[in-house]
């Protein structure tokens, strides 16, 4: 097939997942020969390795790592790789750059959906959703006690956002109507957009010390890996709620478990953890003050469709020699 495609002059695209939205597939099929990894529930590394050779572009929708082995296998025809995700910690960007392969991701289109999940986790954790459900299930409903299951308010709180990019800003926009007292944020440098939200740039240390809600939305990289460790939890307020909608690796999970267990912080709401899927014997599952979601931040019909289309548009632009709509 590869040879026939190249002989016919049609570029060949590999889509690494059978569930990428049809709209994106059609955009690609109008222009290219499209090969789709069809294995369900998702193709393995081996299965992708078997199909990637001789491709001109890849729509990458997989947690499998893109590294030099994968790129060697793809070979010198590969001109563009577009990941259907905002995060790209599973992709060796340096290696792509070194080989002159263009690379794009899908930011912005998922900001609202991920921000909605961040708000959901703030509310669910602050109001002890998981614990309340457990109380009902175990016949321990004691609402006649006025101090029973008391939670934390978003109203009047200081919200600390770690990473004030598109998603961080979308979260701020949604939390302001809850009448928060102040939004603070940390990161590399102050963002001009912060003015719009009255958000104040602070050091990571200050953010930990002052926030009632700490929301992680920064990328996972060497700098952020494990930055929420024992030392960080020791600096947080005892009423603080940690929400993570970024990557599990940013949090030292055993340290988080201890912080939650010992009541160093009030609770945690996590859409991401390590590993994913989380094993059913994970200690996190035993904590009433930990609300867990199975990494569904961007999982809405509209958002996943938009992500697929943007990934396809990245490929098309790169192959047509035009600026990609979302280059990395
Ligand atoms: C993203 O887009 O990075 C989401 O977390 C899905 O992996």
């Amino acid at each position: 097939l590869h040879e026939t495609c190249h002989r016919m002059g049609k570029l060949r695209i590999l889509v690494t997942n059978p569930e990428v939205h049809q709209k994106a597939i059609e955009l690609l099929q109008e222009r290219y020969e499209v090969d789709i990894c069809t294995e369900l529930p998702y193709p393995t590394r081996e299965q992708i390795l078997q199909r990637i050779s001789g491709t001109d572009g890849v729509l990458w929708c997989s947690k499998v790592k893109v590294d030099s082995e994968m790129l060697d296998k793809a070979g010198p025809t590969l001109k563009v790789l577009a990941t259907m995700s905002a995060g790209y910690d599973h992709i060796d960007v340096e290696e792509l750059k070194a080989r002159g392969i263009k690379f794009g991701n899908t930011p912005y289109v998922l900001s609202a959906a991920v921000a909605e999940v961040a708000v959901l986790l703030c509310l669910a954790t602050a109001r002890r959703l998981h614990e309340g459900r457990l109380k009902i299930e175990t016949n321990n409903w004691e609402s006649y006690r006025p101090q029973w299951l008391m939670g934390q308010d978003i109203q009047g709180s200081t919200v600390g956002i770690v990473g004030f990019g598109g998603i961080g800003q979308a979260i701020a926009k949604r939390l302001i109507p809850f009448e928060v007292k102040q939004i603070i944020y940390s990161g590399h440098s102050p963002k001009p957009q912060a003015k719009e939200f009255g958000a104040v740039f602070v050091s990571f240390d200050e953010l930990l010390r002052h926030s009632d809600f700490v929301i992680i939305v920064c990328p996972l990289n060497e700098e952020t890996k494990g930055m929420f460790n024992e030392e960080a939890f020791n600096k947080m307020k005892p009423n603080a709620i940690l929400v993570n909608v970024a990557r599990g690796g940013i949090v030292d999970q055993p340290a988080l478990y201890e912080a939650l267990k010992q009541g160093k912080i009030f609770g945690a709401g996590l859409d991401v953890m390590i590993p994913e899927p989380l094993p059913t014997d994970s200690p996190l599952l035993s904590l009433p003050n930990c609300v867990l979601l199975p990494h569904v931040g961007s999982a809405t019909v509209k958002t996943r469709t938009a992500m697929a289309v943007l990934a396809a548009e990245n490929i098309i632009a790169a192959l047509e020699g035009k600026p990609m709509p979302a280059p990395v």
Side-chain angles (χ1 to χ4, degrees), residues 111-297:
S111 297
V114 179
E116 284 174 13
V117 165
V119 174
L120 164 74
L121 288 172
C122 284
L123 287 166
T125 313
R127 302 307 292 270
R128 305 166 74 162
L129 181 105
H130 179 57
E131 195 178 348
R133 158 85 202 208
L134 291 173
K135 296 282 187 204
I136 300 173
E137 243 174 60
T138 56
N139 201 22
N140 281 304
W141 186 326
E142 303 176 65
S143 55
Y144 48 86
R145 291 174 52 201
Q147 299 206 7
W148 186 65
L149 272 190
M150 291 191 300
Q152 305 291 335
D153 295 278
I154 294 183
Q155 186 192 44
S157 69
T158 296
V159 176
I161 302 181
V162 181
F164 208 59
I167 301 172
Q169 290 166 34
I171 294 169
K173 189 171 163 186
R174 282 156 183 78
L175 285 180
I176 286 168
F178 282 83
E179 303 172 1
V180 298
K181 184 170 91 193
Q182 173 82 77
I183 293 191
I184 55 181
Y185 69 100
S186 66
H188 273 150
S189 50
K191 302 259 175 168
Q193 301 93 324
K195 269 207 189 111
E196 198 183 314
F197 310 100
V200 177
F201 182 67
V202 295
S203 68
F204 180 54
D205 203 83
E206 282 176 277
L207 184 136
L208 294 173
R209 293 187 194 281
H210 296 298
S211 300
D212 302 302
F213 290 83
V214 173
I215 309 175
I216 309 175
V217 260
C218 59
L220 170 65
N221 52 40
E222 280 314 309
E223 211 179 316
T224 62
K225 193 174 170 189
M227 77 193 278
F228 280 84
N229 53 17
E230 191 188 345
E231 200 190 329
F233 293 123
N234 287 342
K235 289 174 186 163
M236 287 172 70
K237 295 165 79 167
N239 67 291
I241 282 152
L242 180 73
V243 165
N244 189 1
V245 290
R247 286 293 181 268
I250 298 164
V251 174
D252 172 345
Q253 216 160 267
L256 172 64
Y257 172 81
E258 283 307 321
L260 289 170
K261 184 89 189 156
Q262 295 169 22
K264 277 187 198 171
I265 64 171
F266 187 81
L270 312 175
D271 185 40
V272 289
M273 51 219 84
I274 16 176
E276 293 177 9
L278 190 72
T280 52
D281 63 355
S282 164
L284 284 184
L285 284 163
S286 69
L287 294 169
N289 55 348
C290 187
V291 177
L292 298 167
L293 284 177
H295 201 152
V296 290

Side-chain angles (χ1 to χ4, degrees), residues 63 84-88 106 110 245-247 295 298 304 307:
K63 284 282 153 201
M84 195 181 123
S85 63
Y88 45 85
T106 59
L110 48 58
V245 290
R247 286 293 181 268
H295 201 152
S298 65
R304 284 284 159 84
M307 289 166 74

Side-chain angles (χ1 to χ4, degrees), residues 11-37:
L11 297 176
R12 187 170 158 257
I13 307 299
L14 178 68
V15 177
T16 65
N17 192 295
E19 292 188 358
V20 170
H21 198 279
Q22 191 57 27
K23 259 193 184 171
I25 304 295
E26 282 164 16
L27 276 176
L28 295 171
Q29 280 172 336
E30 284 164 17
R31 298 162 173 85
Y32 315 113
E33 194 66 41
V34 179
D35 186 15
I36 304 173
C37 293

